[in-house]
Amino acid sequence: MQIEFRSDLGAKVLVDVPDERALEDTLRKYGRLGWTSGEVPPGGYPFPYDNFADFDWSLIGARKWTNPEGDVRIIHRGQAYKIRELEAVDSRKMTLPAAVKISRGAKSTDPEHVREKADGEFEYVTLAIFRGGKRQERYALPR
Amino acid sequence: MQIEFRSDLGAKVLVDVPDERALEDTLRKYGRLGWTSGEVPPGGYPFPYDNFADFDWSLIGARKWTNPEGDVRIIHRGQAYKIRELEAVDSRKMTLPAAVKISRGAKSTDPEHVREKADGEFEYVTLAIFRGGKRQERYALPR
Amino acid sequence: MQIEFRSDLGAKVLVDVPDERALEDTLRKYGRLGWTSGEVPPGGYPFPYDNFADFDWSLIGARKWTNPEGDVRIIHRGQAYKIRELEAVDSRKMTLPAAVKISRGAKSTDPEHVREKADGEFEYVTLAIFRGGKRQERYALPR
Amino acid sequence: MQIEFRSDLGAKVLVDVPDERALEDTLRKYGRLGWTSGEVPPGGYPFPYDNFADFDWSLIGARKWTNPEGDVRIIHRGQAYKIRELEAVDSRKMTLPAAVKISRGAKSTDPEHVREKADGEFEYVTLAIFRGGKRQERYALPR
Amino acid sequence: MQIEFRSDLGAKVLVDVPDERALEDTLRKYGRLGWTSGEVPPGGYPFPYDNFADFDWSLIGARKWTNPEGDVRIIHRGQAYKIRELEAVDSRKMTLPAAVKISRGAKSTDPEHVREKADGEFEYVTLAIFRGGKRQERYALPR
């Protein structure tokens, strides 16, 4: 097996993986260096809500960071994303469970298909959304 | 031989396949984990109508899922698609056999070339269409 | 050597080829299953006019098909293309030899850069054009 | 080492190269068959002016061709490009050395980012530009 | 391990790398020839401010060049970029540390997603920005 990474310097690198069990360890190992594999899916990586608290950000090449003002951010490919808690919605129109959304404001160099419209003219880009689903141990930080 | 997959975490992974006969087994094995290879063709995967009843969704990295309201959906790369039965059309303008269409409403992050126009302003995205053709055993669930 | 194919199920598959002489045999072998390698060039594959009569469609993953009405079509990646004979043009404005064009009407999911404008609002997509040039034996059906 | 080529039939082929010194010989060998590797850079391949006279077109999968009217053209991926000599510009606004530009009129199937605007509504596509720089022997036809 | 490069002639070349420690040496070795791996990230490569003075441009396939007028430029894939020093901003609206921006005016063949808007109708393309962060020795020229 081989994984294709984009290194922190943007280089395309193919890394050998001995077997399937070593796959996620390899993603974690290089993810800690800021390396990523593949693209963020449109609308962001979907993860279960119960995986947020101890999510291992290295799995997607991201990391937690506390800025000088003391706010926690998620850093991914040099961009800082905010952590937003979305309350559950239970109206006549729709029912949505509570979620945690990792997103940032859009920049002029973001391609059209990653921008999502919000109120007014504001556009944002989502890295991940933790909503519903069933907790998966393999997404958790190793203890 | 090697197959290039996108894993459930979006990683690009090359998997070795010993020979041609093992190709579809490999697609099924990793497809069961939500891994996909290549892109959904424009207009959706075309399959024969008679393959719908026992189609093995793992071949394209998808799976059947019943939502809390009891409706059956097809899940593919984190998106839920509805199953729509289209009646045969036999008018002066065109003749079309009955079909089953697997589709969902378009989202703002779907690229232009996967959106299809329906009545009014509604746009949708098709994962697969089962129409005409001749049943192929290799698409069926293993017994 | 390795050839990168898109299988009939859309999977990205790398196939080993022992040497250069085996290259076209490998294209034919998998092309017979509807596998393709690379993209159709903008404006369609250009082939010599004298190769049309006994062209081996498996070279580009296509095949001849006669529809229920008795019309011959070329099937490529699940789409049916018509065969159009274009007469030679010899006007003051331009000189063009006779040609055979393999094309179909454009669909809403065809990307912009494969659509060609015709009279009025009609748009079409070209798979191949056989015009001029010198017959190449290697494109012919094996006898 | 491996080079990824697009063959004359559009197939994606990976070719092994024993070592770095063999790299350009491999490009020439397959380039002679019309195979190319990678994309033409936006604005065309930049080469030194003094390399034009004996440039080895096989390095980029192109070849010289004389049409029935006796005009020399450069053929690249099935398209014919004209050879245009541009005089040096030395005005108050800008200083540009003499150049040779290899270009053709744009077609409706050319993607937006390869089209360059000229006077009026005319658009063209550039394959290569020979301007300034210092002659490099490795671009020359082998003697 | 393998790195995928775009050579100075635009060819796609896969180069073997014995182990992880050799990765950056390989980027430097081929970067010196103008080879690059991957794409410039939207908004340019982000580097720490304190790495500008002795940055090793070969890491991203670029090089310093002094033009006939005596101005220093950074050459990357045949394009010349200017070096702009941006003063620190400390207003009520935002706080930004001093930075060095490597950028050039946009050309008609630059794709939409690399263009950044400046005052008026001017658009530019950024190769790299050195701002904030903590110096990393591995980005420095070898002594």
Side-chain angles (χ1 to χ4, degrees), chain B residues 25-58:
Chain B
D25 285 346
T26 308
L27 284 175
R28 286 174 206 262
K29 176 182 165 187
Y30 291 95
R32 245 173 260 134
L33 307 173
W35 292 30
T36 55
S37 181
E39 299 301 319
V40 177
Y45 290 101
F47 293 115
Y49 182 80
D50 291 337
N51 273 106
F52 175 68
D54 64 347
F55 186 73
D56 186 352
W57 292 100
S58 70

Side-chain angles (χ1 to χ4, degrees), chain E residues 80-128:
Chain E
Y81 292 80
K82 285 190 189 170
I83 299 166
R84 288 180 175 89
E85 310 220 2
L86 307 180
E87 283 177 45
V89 176
D90 193 355
S91 69
R92 232 184 284 181
K93 229 172 134 192
M94 59 175 165
T95 314
L96 276 177
V100 181
K101 199 166 188 171
I102 315 299
S103 58
R104 61 170 172 84
K107 308 200 165 176
S108 70
T109 47
D110 288 316
E112 195 64 37
H113 69 273
V114 305
R115 293 153 179 252
E116 293 169 72
K117 297 244 181 299
D119 296 337
E121 288 193 10
F122 187 73
E123 288 184 323
Y124 61 97
V125 174
T126 304
L127 172 64

Side-chain angles (χ1 to χ4, degrees), chain E:
Chain E
M1 272 187 164
Q2 283 182 302
I3 307 181
E4 184 185 306
F5 279 104
R6 196 147 44 118
S7 84
D8 56 318
L9 280 173
K12 277 177 85 172
V13 184
L14 277 163
V15 173
D16 290 307
V17 184
D19 58 37
E20 215 175 311
R21 281 168 310 170
L23 187 76
E24 279 171 23
D25 285 347
T26 308
L27 284 174
R28 287 173 205 263
K29 176 183 166 187
Y30 291 95
R32 243 172 262 133
L33 307 172
W35 293 29
T36 55
S37 181
E39 298 302 318
V40 177
Y45 291 100
F47 292 115
Y49 182 80
D50 291 337
N51 273 106
F52 175 68
D54 63 348
F55 186 72
D56 186 351
W57 291 100
S58 70
L59 275 167
I60 59 168
R63 64 187 164 87
K64 266 193 184 163
W65 174 71
T66 305
N67 70 13
E69 289 81 36
D71 306 316
V72 177
R73 296 286 182 264
I74 304 298
I75 304 294
H76 181 264
R77 298 228 67 97
Q79 307 284 349
Y81 292 80
K82 285 190 189 170
I83 299 166
R84 288 180 175 89
E85 310 220 2
L86 307 180
E87 283 177 45
V89 176
D90 193 355
S91 69
R92 232 184 284 181
K93 229 172 134 192
M94 59 175 165
T95 314
L96 276 177
V100 181
K101 199 166 188 171
I102 315 299
S103 58
R104 61 170 172 84
K107 308 200 165 176
S108 70
T109 47
D110 288 316
E112 195 64 37
H113 69 273
V114 305
R115 293 153 179 252
E116 293 169 72
K117 297 244 181 299
D119 296 337
E121 288 193 10
F122 187 73
E123 288 184 323
Y124 61 97
V125 174
T126 304
L127 172 64
I129 183 149
F130 296 79
R131 178 156 58 193
K134 201 187 130 196
R135 178 179 166 87
Q136 294 197 37
E137 281 314 314
R138 66 190 186 106
Y139 293 160
L141 281 167
R143 287 183 232 185

